Amino acid sequence: MPDINAGNPVKVEIAVARGDGIGSEIMDAVLHIFDRAGTGLTYRMADMGKAIFEQGFSTGMTPEAKEIIEETGILFKGPMETPKGKGVKSINVTARKVWNTYANKRVFKTLSGVDTLHSRAGIPVDITIVRENIEDTYGGIEHLLTHDVALCRRFITRPGSLQVHRYAFEMARRKGAAKISCGHKANIMKLTDGLFLECFYEVAREYPDLQASDIIVDDLAMKLVTRPDNFEVVVLPNLQGDIISDLCAGLVGGLGFAPSANIGDFVSIFEAVHGTAPDIAGKNMANPTALLLSGIMMLRHLGLSEKAMLIENALLYTLEQGVHTRDFGASPASAVATDKFTEAIISNLGRTPENGKSVSGEPQTRSFRQPEKPASNRILVSPKGGAESIAGVDFFVESEGSPEGLAEIFQKHLPATLRLVTISNRGTQVWPTKSVFTDCINQYRVRVESRDLAPLTQHTCLNYATKIAPDLKICSLEMLMNYGGKQGYSLAQGQ
Ligand code: NAI
């Protein structure tokens, strides 16, 4: 049996927040395993979660907790409850945003002893999903444009996409993966997902050792269910990544086995994907596996890969021996309690699974260095690819009238420099040509462009808006931009 004290324990400080519900039970279990495995970590407790909201801290964390987390650069976090109906934002989302953790990494691996459809079919799963964690619709920028129409802005940015792709490629290389895929919907969202995809291939050029390919997200969902063993690392925009990662959790036995890391340049957060499980809290029934797997990811992030390997093999051996908590579907008589499960893992430190694959890994060479706190906000801007100009403007207006009536209003005020190009409703053109089958709602997009393709000024566009304003409610407007000769806006369906 290998020496469990192998590898120098590195004195690394981490911030720990136990969390709510089952949080303290599973966190105590994991820290107990860490200590017995000789990880050498020092824990600094950070006060976060339900009780802190109730003390009146609207972010769900005390200023001291924030300081500890920023000093250590690592937050190991149990699940937390955000009070409902009090107008406060989710502590989990706040934590990810405050520290700009731009990549969400989730690892989904077949666990020996965990019965799933794919394990029964002999199809192994070892997929890492990297989900962009800040942008997309998760900016939460939403408006009611009319009483009938809600709009959510979806941001995909070049610097944000480059950050997440670079992390994904680096991680894939460290994992020893041969291939990496980008999931997207660029066939429909040509500018937003198109930019995400363009950045993926831009970064791919720096990693010729990795086979890079892309796949439309719906096709990806189908292929993950049928042949998950064809995928190693998949990187996706935020919302698609959210859905696809839960699909992958289902492949390996559910959320109880799903660890996650939120990676930033200064602070990274490690947590299980599941919640506080209030139904079983305080009953010594909770399964600490997902939090333990998140902790194992954290050890690897800290460069403690030998300790990570030691604990992971002990966990795999324990599961393989049929030592399971109740959520595995075991009968109440054969299920073990949280503390017994934890003791079993500790007693198996140094063992490797007999039937399943044991874990090997890189030697403990990397050491973790806490990055310096930035003095002020970083402004991420990429070099400009050419001159930019205004080609026109899209007006989003409220109207219950016909497209033809709307065209008349816009033409009445049109200056000589502009021409009316198209009117669309929910993205489908309804003027100058249309299908009578298009149902219209009370919000149209009216597009005007420069008459002779000469660049426009903001002043021309806004001046025109003031002429329209007395006749119609302008909900919002969007400049139509060209960048280095490239059109920076989509066409209406049918245009
Ligand atoms: P949940 O994940 O807490 O529970 C869903 C079901 O899974 C329950 O039956 C629960 O008993 C079971 N379960 C979850 N984790 C388990 C574990 N480790 N061992 C055994 N069984 C487990 O989801 P739910 O009920 O939707 O949310 C409860 C609370 O957790 C809410 O306040 C929610 O906001 C919060 N939450 C927090 C998260 C976080 O801190 N990252 C993530 C998701 C939810």
Side-chain angles (χ1 to χ4, degrees):
M1 195 181 287
D3 175 11
I4 68 164
N5 293 316
N8 296 327
V10 181
K11 281 273 167 229
V12 180
E13 278 191 344
I14 61 164
V16 173
R18 282 200 168 85
D20 303 312
I22 58 169
S24 55
E25 295 163 67
I26 56 175
M27 183 59 82
D28 287 348
V30 172
L31 298 186
H32 190 34
I33 295 168
F34 277 9
D35 292 341
R36 295 298 297 276
T39 57
L41 294 177
T42 306
Y43 314 123
R44 293 179 66 188
M45 292 301 163
D47 292 327
M48 297 173 77
K50 188 177 174 209
I52 306 303
F53 278 115
E54 283 168 358
Q55 286 171 30
F57 294 96
S58 61
T59 55
M61 67 181 106
T62 61
E64 294 76 28
K66 191 165 178 281
E67 212 173 292
I68 292 173
I69 295 161
E70 289 174 9
E71 276 169 18
T72 59
I74 299 286
L75 171 60
F76 190 31
K77 168 183 171 301
M80 289 176 190
E81 186 181 328
T82 304
K84 291 191 179 66
K86 300 243 167 93
V88 288
K89 296 242 179 199
S90 155
I91 172 76
N92 305 305
V93 177
T94 300
R96 284 169 217 159
K97 295 223 170 210
V98 165
W99 293 298
N100 204 67
T101 58
Y102 51 78
N104 180 245
K105 173 189 172 191
R106 297 191 188 175
V107 177
F108 304 96
K109 256 200 247 186
T110 302
L111 295 172
S112 178
V114 179
D115 187 34
T116 66
L117 286 175
H118 290 85
S119 69
R120 267 179 257 158
I123 301 174
V125 179
D126 183 2
I127 302 170
T128 304
I129 300 287
V130 179
R131 162 188 169 194
E132 195 287 316
N133 216 17
I134 307 264
E135 304 186 344
D136 203 335
T137 47
Y138 285 69
I141 304 170
E142 297 188 302
H143 296 94
L144 274 176
L145 295 190
T146 77
H147 69 279
D148 274 347
V149 180
L151 178 84
C152 175
R153 291 204 154 210
R154 177 170 193 254
F155 278 95
I156 300 283
T157 72
R158 183 180 296 281
S161 303
L162 289 174
Q163 271 183 326
V164 71
H165 288 314
R166 214 156 257 132
Y167 169 75
F169 275 88
E170 272 302 314
M171 188 276 302
R173 194 180 259 175
R174 271 205 309 279
K175 178 181 168 168
K179 47 191 180 178
I180 176 167
S181 315
C182 177
H184 62 87
K185 195 74 187 166
N187 53 329
I188 303 296
M189 290 168 281
K190 294 185 169 63
L191 291 182
T192 46
D193 276 30
L195 177 58
F196 190 75
L197 186 57
E198 183 185 314
C199 292
F200 172 78
Y201 281 115
E202 190 176 320
V203 175
R205 284 200 292 275
E206 297 165 28
Y207 297 83
D209 49 314
L210 285 164
Q211 188 191 323
S213 63
D214 68 277
I215 178 163
I216 293 172
V217 68
D218 33 333
D219 189 23
L220 172 68
M222 195 256 299
K223 292 202 166 104
L224 280 169
V225 171
T226 50
R227 288 315 301 244
D229 49 334
N230 284 340
F231 295 91
E232 291 182 83
V233 176
V234 186
V235 56
L236 295 129
N238 206 339
L239 178 59
Q240 297 164 27
D242 192 8
I243 297 165
I244 290 294
S245 47
D246 272 23
L247 183 154
C248 289
L251 300 178
V252 295
L255 289 183
F257 304 95
S260 127
N262 298 288
I263 306 287
D265 285 342
F266 300 98
V267 173
S268 295
I269 304 168
F270 297 82
E271 62 180 335
V273 173
H274 62 71
T276 59
D279 49 333
I280 56 165
K283 295 185 180 163
N284 196 18
M285 281 165 64
N287 179 3
T289 301
L291 188 65
L292 182 59
L293 289 168
S294 312
I296 290 168
M297 281 165 74
M298 177 179 72
L299 294 178
R300 292 207 165 91
H301 181 84
L302 294 170
L304 298 169
S305 53
E306 285 176 14
K307 294 297 176 190
M309 202 163 57
L310 172 77
I311 298 170
E312 192 167 358
N313 280 328
L315 168 69
L316 296 178
Y317 180 85
T318 306
L319 295 175
E320 193 178 83
Q321 296 301 305
V323 182
H324 293 165
T325 47
R326 199 159 153 189
D327 53 302
F328 281 77
S331 69
S334 67
V336 298
T338 311
D339 53 359
K340 292 277 174 292
F341 184 71
T342 308
E343 288 307 330
I345 295 171
I346 290 169
S347 67
N348 290 331
L349 285 167
R351 294 206 164 92
T352 50
E354 287 165 4
N355 303 320
K357 235 171 88 180
S358 68
V359 183
S360 54
E362 56 186 281
Q364 203 157 300
T365 47
R366 264 178 341 127
S367 60
F368 177 73
R369 250 193 238 122
Q370 159 60 4
E372 293 236 333
K373 189 175 171 177
S376 60
N377 298 91
R378 297 187 298 177
I379 312 284
L380 309 179
V381 190
S382 55
K384 283 195 178 175
E388 60 185 62
S389 59
I390 302 173
V393 57
D394 271 351
F395 291 95
F396 295 82
V397 296
E398 179 167 350
S399 167
E400 287 169 25
S402 68
E404 293 75 19
L406 201 55
E408 243 175 65
I409 295 173
F410 272 80
Q411 271 162 334
K412 187 169 76 184
H413 300 289
L414 210 58
T417 45
L418 296 177
R419 68 188 177 99
L420 182 60
V421 178
T422 176
I423 299 177
S424 62
N425 198 293
R426 289 188 282 175
T428 304
Q429 178 167 285
V430 287
W431 186 95
T433 57
K434 66 175 177 184
S435 154
V436 288
F437 299 106
T438 304
D439 290 334
C440 292
I441 42 84
N442 66 355
Q443 202 263 308
Y444 289 89
R445 176 181 64 164
V446 181
R447 174 166 292 180
V448 294
E449 286 181 7
S450 165
R451 187 171 287 282
D452 52 8
L453 298 178
L456 299 171
T457 62
Q458 274 201 87
H459 182 78
T460 311
C461 302
L462 296 178
N463 207 18
Y464 181 47
T466 60
K467 300 267 167 40
I468 305 292
D471 292 345
L472 281 169
K473 180 176 116 191
I474 300 174
C475 307
S476 68
L477 56 83
E478 206 76 58
M479 297 293 169
L480 305 180
M481 301 297 299
N482 286 324
Y483 298 94
K486 201 171 141 195
Q487 191 171 290
Y489 48 95
S490 57
L491 299 180
Q493 195 80 46
Q495 191 185 347

